[in-house]
Amino acid sequence: PPTRVPVMPPSWHPCVAMRVPVGPLSLLLALFLLSPRGSAGASCPPRCVCASNLLSCSQANLSAVPTPLPRFTAVLDLSHNNVTRLRADWTPARLPHLHALLLSHNGLTFVSTEAFTNVPRLRHLDLSSNRLRTLDENLFSDLGELEVLLLYNNEITTVDRTAFENLGRLRKLYLGQNRIARFPLELLREGTRLPQLALLDLSANRLRAVPAGELQALPAWLRDRLYLHNNPLACDCPLFQLLARGHRRRLSAVVDFQDELHCVLPGTPTPIKILTLAGRQPLNCSEAQEAVLEAYLGDSVTLGCDSRWQGVRSRHWETPRGERVLGDGGNDSVVLLANGSLQLRALRPEDTGTYACWVSGPLLNETLYVELLVHNFTLHGPHDTLNTAYTTLVGCILSVVLVLIYLYLTPCRCCCCRGTEKPPAPRDDSINSSVLSTTPNHATGTGEPGGSRVASGAGAGQNGRFKGGGTPPVPPRQGPKAQRKVSDPDSVSSVFSDTPIVV
């Protein structure tokens, strides 16, 4: 007889020993399995385009962020809309996978300090080409994983130094084409606020001065991406030295925009190129030189290998005598440190010269030169050791003091013996005067010095010689001391005159 084949029910499958219900519940289950990340409520917002975890709502004429947003969204593009205010509740639900948020060309005027609380994994934030005016304190503090922040082409005038607090992974910060007159560059100097920052764009702002000395102390890999062009900077020599060294080192921020690096001289309305200030009046700045260090005998110095490559693979030094110092250390006087610097101990005169640091970078190799000058004397020697310049200075000072003592402290022989009220006699009287000139007659009854008047009126001196000037009249004095002064010689030199002595 023919074999019977059992007929299975419609809901039975030979490989699945279960009943599968057919109806609306099966349809919902199929949608759940096909939706990305298995999110039940993850539907694409109206007027947006969704592709996997990418959500594009660009140029959709939106005045607010559409809600709800799918939780699996990793990239959200809201550019070229009319979202003027970004409040704290723009995304009520947490978006743990969002790492890129694009909000450029929206006319944004306000961003809440709590706007990024629900997007802690954000790494790329684009707020460019809006109307932001201030960066308030702790504005981006919730974005601990942010790496790129675009704020160019806004109306920013004020930047709070705490606006970038907790941004330990920020690598690129674009602030060009704003109205910033002062940026807190101490964030770069401290090195703890933005430790990973490798690019800072401050071009086309209103900066008038920058601390050139502090910027020169920054690592070369940061100065390589520090853009300051198209700012009304004031011309000075430290600024020229900073940019001239950068041009010599082929730093991108200087070489790529050397024609846009201008400054303003006092009294000159037209800006000039900063790199043309060498030898130009009125500043007359000197040419930039390589790194030069000065030291003294017995000192210890450290020569830095300031490369413009951040990911340096290896370094080695070469001394002026041609000796190579590799990464395995060195002798007792020359040591290669862990950060690539070369330390020289107990300096000697033969250590003077140019040292070269060879750097192997991720893209190209680089060679840095450091010139060391060792002075042939110790800076802190014993107290009884005087160098030639110091000895010469002390000798000159002592000579001047002795001359002053001789001129102003020498005793005068006639300042105490001559009366202060007697006027000085003419020079010819001192020549013809004599200690034996006519003395007053003390026998006359009145006691007046009549002999003095007779001698001056007769016109003849002792021994028939003519006395040209005569003795000037002396006012009457009382007492014997006054009469004794009349017979005093007018000059000390009268005792050496040629008048003979009559006994």
Side-chain angles (χ1 to χ4, degrees), residues 264-466:
V264 180
L265 282 170
T268 305
T270 304
I272 64 174
K273 294 182 180 181
I274 299 178
L275 295 178
T276 62
L277 286 177
R280 184 168 182 170
Q281 298 297 332
L283 298 179
N284 195 20
C285 300
S286 60
E287 291 286 347
Q289 299 179 354
E290 295 288 342
V292 178
L293 293 180
E294 296 186 14
Y296 302 88
L297 291 179
D299 288 352
S300 296
V301 297
T302 301
L303 310 181
C305 189
D306 188 19
S307 174
R308 59 193 174 108
W309 304 118
Q310 191 171 4
V312 176
R313 294 193 298 264
S314 63
R315 293 184 178 93
H316 75 269
W317 284 84
E318 185 174 327
T319 65
R321 297 185 296 273
E323 302 173 355
R324 295 187 64 181
V325 182
L326 301 176
D328 53 356
N331 52 30
D332 294 336
S333 60
V334 181
V335 179
L336 183 62
L337 303 180
N339 60 356
S341 301
L342 186 68
Q343 187 179 52
L344 304 176
R345 303 172 182 173
L347 291 177
R348 301 166 297 176
E350 54 267 24
D351 292 330
T352 298
T354 302
Y355 293 77
C357 178
W358 301 82
V359 179
S360 177
L363 300 177
L364 297 172
N365 296 333
E366 185 182 12
T367 305
L368 289 84
Y369 298 95
V370 180
E371 184 178 356
L372 177 63
L373 301 178
V374 180
H375 297 286
N376 197 15
F377 56 88
T378 58
L379 180 61
H380 305 288
H383 296 288
D384 56 350
T385 303
L386 298 177
N387 55 58
T388 305
Y390 182 75
T391 305
T392 305
L393 179 62
V394 172
C396 293
I397 294 176
L398 290 178
S399 301
V400 172
V401 171
L402 291 177
V403 171
L404 294 176
I405 291 176
Y406 177 78
L407 291 177
Y408 294 98
L409 297 183
T410 302
C412 180
R413 291 180 296 171
C414 37
C415 61
C416 301
C417 58
R418 181 178 298 175
T420 57
E421 73 282 353
K422 184 177 179 180
R427 294 182 61 89
D428 54 348
D429 288 351
S430 64
I431 297 176
N432 299 314
S433 63
S434 174
V435 293
L436 299 179
S437 60
T438 306
T439 57
N441 187 6
H442 299 282
T444 56
T446 61
E448 296 181 1
S452 166
R453 291 191 297 269
V454 173
S456 60
Q462 298 291 334
N463 299 327
R465 293 193 177 188
F466 180 77

Side-chain angles (χ1 to χ4, degrees), residues 5-17:
V5 178
V7 179
M8 300 298 178
S11 60
W12 179 262
H13 191 276
C15 297
V16 182

Side-chain angles (χ1 to χ4, degrees), residues 158-178:
T158 305
V159 179
D160 192 273
R161 60 176 301 171
T162 63
F164 311 104
E165 202 71 42
N166 299 329
L167 299 184
R169 297 187 180 182
L170 187 65
R171 298 184 60 254
K172 299 179 180 180
L173 177 57
Y174 296 88
L175 284 166
Q177 300 182 27
N178 278 284

